[in-house]
Amino acid sequence: MEFLLWSTARSVLDLVKFADTKAERGVMNKKRLLFPGMKRLKKWASSAWRSEDSGVDHTPDSTEVMSTNIEVGDAYKKSKDPEHLPPANAWQRFGNGVRLVSQVLASQESAFGFRVACATLSIGIVAYLRDSQAFFIQQRLVWAMIMVAIGMTVTAGAGVFGFIGRIAGTSIYLIWYIVDGKAPGVIVLLFVFTFVEFYFVLKYPRFIVIALISMVTQVLVVGYELQVQKVGVQVAQSSGQPAYPLYELAPYRLACVAGGMFVAFIWTFFPYPLTARSQLRKDLGASLYLLANFYSCVHTSVTMRLNGTEGDPNDKNSPGRRLGKARAQVFTKELALLAGLRQHSAFTAWEPSLGGKFPRKQYDVIIQLVQNVLNYMALISYASTVLSDKDNKDDPDQASWIKNFGRLVKDISITSHELTSILSLLSASVSNGSPLPPYLRPPEPYRLSAKLEAIDPSILHVSHVAEPGYAAFAVMQVASSLVSEDVGKLIE
């Protein structure tokens, strides 16, 4: 605890110094537009032609919060083709391009798009039949088509949640009767209700579609009634749609939305359901794989800092700087996946169960263990920065202890990637539903303190307890033991 408090105080002090530096340079006094540089523009242009992480804006439905596309790497997503060797000439490369077209058409995205098209056309076919064309126009079934297009979701759990929310959002049309249909009062109340709904758009992005449907419903229904008051019933009916009073128009609108949601619900499960449970298992396997990558980065970083081969941290091409950038990217992806896992776990409660009960509690325990292991690894990575801190090396007393500590560590081989292998096996087991190899055990925490005391008993003497390097070493030892313990629980 003392080490963590000391580290927090140092970080706050560095932040204050950074803010003071900006204030002294007059940066905070200037007001100007910030434009992206050429390097950033090149990255944006190149990202259009390769697989990258996507945000919530690129998902089929914004209510599926954190269902982002996390790029975990080719080693996880791409497998060896046992039927084809790598192309050796231009004709074979052309053949690979032709095969790529079929792979795109067979992807999950294409299958989902085909479902949406079928669901939309199942309502739109009414407009193309002679006997039902007038009914389609008069009863405004185009609203139902729009609800299908924007209401379908990839997973069934998110679909049920979204359907209920959209139907509830459509039922908000009472502002007309609060002011007895008076135009000035209706306009004012419409502004107030829209203001409140935009609060949910900004504060709770996963309800953005529900809030937008509520706003669109209010504008359409209230605007139509105001139009009828202004131009009259005969002009309003010139488009072929009858003019209904609000107490009839609003239920018609609600019926169209409910019908569209029902059609979307059917096509979410037909011909086979895409459940949040399968997505949860898939993302959990990817999360374990990223955790293995993160541990590998942390292990290499600690080894480089102990051996003094990290290089200059201010040099962008130094090994430590490049490894730190990769470690931060993996850490960010893992956090995004964990948030998505919790969201998928919550959506499983909305899915109807056929057969045995879904083991949600077990999945929640596994997600929490993955979160714990990630936190412990991040703590190890942060604590090891003290061993290569320039401020500590400038202090003669602290530099002497850290130098002796590093010299002793070089004499001991601490390289072990067993944990990386175990996490990769766990990832493959969860993703494919296959059993783990027999007699698989978690790696024992490395007893570095015992080996160091055997070489130099004074290196870990209590007299060095006030030195940051000593406290950092203790944090790393405790955290590594907790990592081994939680990985053992994951195997069980």
Side-chain angles (χ1 to χ4, degrees):
M1 293 297 296
E2 182 180 357
F3 172 76
L4 295 178
L5 290 175
W6 174 79
S7 301
T8 303
R10 287 193 57 187
S11 299
V12 172
L13 180 60
D14 292 339
L15 179 61
V16 172
K17 291 180 178 179
F18 175 78
D20 290 341
T21 303
K22 293 296 182 181
E24 291 175 358
R25 295 178 180 176
V27 177
M28 309 303 295
N29 299 328
K30 299 178 181 178
K31 295 181 179 180
R32 64 191 186 281
L33 295 176
L34 298 179
F35 296 97
M38 284 301 300
K39 183 178 180 181
R40 177 61 56 185
L41 293 176
K42 289 180 181 179
K43 285 186 176 182
W44 287 347
S46 61
S47 64
W49 307 102
R50 66 171 184 266
S51 298
E52 283 198 347
D53 307 326
S54 67
V56 178
D57 296 337
H58 303 101
T59 56
D61 184 10
S62 297
T63 59
E64 296 182 87
V65 176
M66 299 311 298
S67 58
T68 54
N69 178 29
I70 302 299
E71 190 69 21
V72 296
D74 294 341
Y76 178 81
K77 296 184 64 176
K78 294 184 179 179
S79 57
K80 295 290 185 180
D81 190 350
E83 300 176 358
H84 298 85
L85 292 173
N89 51 47
W91 176 252
Q92 293 179 0
R93 286 190 290 270
F94 173 77
N96 276 355
V98 174
R99 291 172 56 225
L100 183 61
V101 175
S102 61
Q103 292 175 6
V104 171
L105 295 177
S107 63
Q108 294 183 357
E109 292 79 6
S110 297
F112 177 73
F114 182 74
R115 285 186 186 225
V116 176
C118 291
T120 306
L121 190 59
S122 61
I123 297 178
I125 191 65
V126 179
Y128 295 98
L129 300 179
R130 179 181 301 175
D131 296 335
S132 58
Q133 185 179 23
F135 175 80
F136 181 89
I137 297 175
Q138 293 176 0
Q139 305 305 328
R140 302 168 173 85
L141 293 186
V142 67
W143 289 351
M145 291 182 58
I146 296 174
M147 289 300 105
V148 172
I150 68 175
M152 287 195 65
T153 55
V154 177
T155 59
V160 175
F161 174 79
F163 298 159
I164 296 175
R166 290 177 179 92
I167 293 175
T170 307
S171 60
I172 302 176
Y173 58 88
L174 300 178
I175 59 176
W176 181 268
Y177 293 106
I178 293 177
V179 293
D180 195 23
K182 305 299 182 181
V186 170
I187 295 174
V188 172
L189 276 185
L190 182 63
F191 167 79
V192 174
F193 273 68
T194 304
F195 175 80
V196 175
E197 286 155 357
F198 261 106
Y199 171 81
F200 289 93
V201 171
L202 300 176
K203 186 68 176 180
Y204 305 102
R206 67 193 185 105
F207 296 128
I208 184 172
V209 175
I210 299 174
L212 289 177
I213 288 178
S214 301
M215 288 185 284
V216 170
T217 301
Q218 293 170 7
V219 172
L220 286 177
V221 174
V222 174
Y224 181 78
E225 289 298 321
L226 292 176
Q227 174 187 325
V228 172
Q229 286 186 358
K230 182 66 177 178
V231 302
V233 177
Q234 293 183 352
V235 177
Q237 291 180 345
S238 60
S239 62
Q241 294 179 343
Y244 296 112
L246 184 62
Y247 59 83
E248 291 184 10
L249 179 64
Y252 273 128
R253 163 74 175 176
L254 181 60
C256 287
V257 173
M261 291 295 97
F262 179 74
V263 173
F265 178 80
I266 295 298
W267 281 95
T268 301
F269 286 88
F270 180 82
Y272 61 91
L274 298 175
T275 62
R277 301 168 183 180
S278 59
Q279 189 67 31
L280 174 62
R281 181 175 58 85
K282 175 184 175 182
D283 288 350
L284 183 58
S287 177
L288 289 168
Y289 179 79
L290 282 177
L291 192 63
N293 285 347
F294 185 69
Y295 172 77
S296 180
C297 293
V298 171
H299 184 276
T300 306
S301 299
V302 173
T303 303
M304 292 173 59
R305 288 164 182 169
L306 290 174
N307 296 332
T309 57
E310 191 179 21
D312 185 7
N314 297 323
D315 186 5
K316 294 183 179 181
N317 296 321
S318 63
R321 181 71 175 270
R322 297 175 64 181
L323 185 60
K325 182 179 180 181
R327 186 177 64 250
Q329 290 177 348
V330 176
F331 182 76
T332 304
K333 292 180 180 181
E334 183 68 18
L335 290 179
L337 268 180
L338 287 172
L341 287 173
R342 294 189 178 92
Q343 193 66 34
H344 285 309
S345 178
F347 278 138
T348 56
W350 296 85
E351 293 180 346
S353 296
L354 298 176
K357 187 178 180 180
F358 179 73
R360 180 182 173 183
K361 292 184 179 179
Q362 286 81 347
Y363 273 95
D364 289 341
V365 170
I366 294 175
I367 293 171
Q368 186 60 46
L369 289 174
V370 173
Q371 179 72 67
N372 294 341
V373 173
L374 179 68
N375 294 338
Y376 297 144
M377 290 180 181
L379 185 58
I380 293 173
S381 176
Y382 181 76
S384 63
T385 57
V386 178
L387 303 177
S388 60
D389 196 346
K390 183 178 181 300
D391 295 337
N392 294 329
K393 292 182 178 180
D394 293 340
D395 191 336
D397 296 334
Q398 297 181 6
S400 176
W401 186 89
I402 294 176
K403 183 178 180 180
N404 294 333
F405 180 78
R407 176 178 55 81
L408 293 177
V409 169
K410 288 182 180 180
D411 298 335
I412 303 174
S413 177
I414 63 171
T415 302
S416 175
H417 296 286
E418 186 179 359
L419 187 58
T420 304
S421 301
I422 290 177
L423 291 174
S424 299
L425 288 173
L426 287 171
S427 172
S429 177
V430 171
S431 300
N432 303 323
S434 57
L436 289 171
Y439 311 111
L440 185 65
R441 295 181 179 179
E444 294 293 333
Y446 194 79
R447 305 298 181 184
L448 183 60
S449 59
K451 296 182 179 295
L452 288 174
E453 290 178 352
I455 298 176
D456 186 358
S458 63
I459 192 67
L460 297 179
H461 193 267
V462 71
S463 59
H464 302 294
V465 71
E467 299 181 7
Y470 186 95
F473 170 74
V475 170
M476 293 165 59
Q477 281 289 98
V478 173
S480 62
S481 300
L482 294 174
V483 167
S484 179
E485 180 181 351
D486 283 348
V487 170
K489 295 179 181 179
L490 285 174
I491 295 176
E492 295 175 358

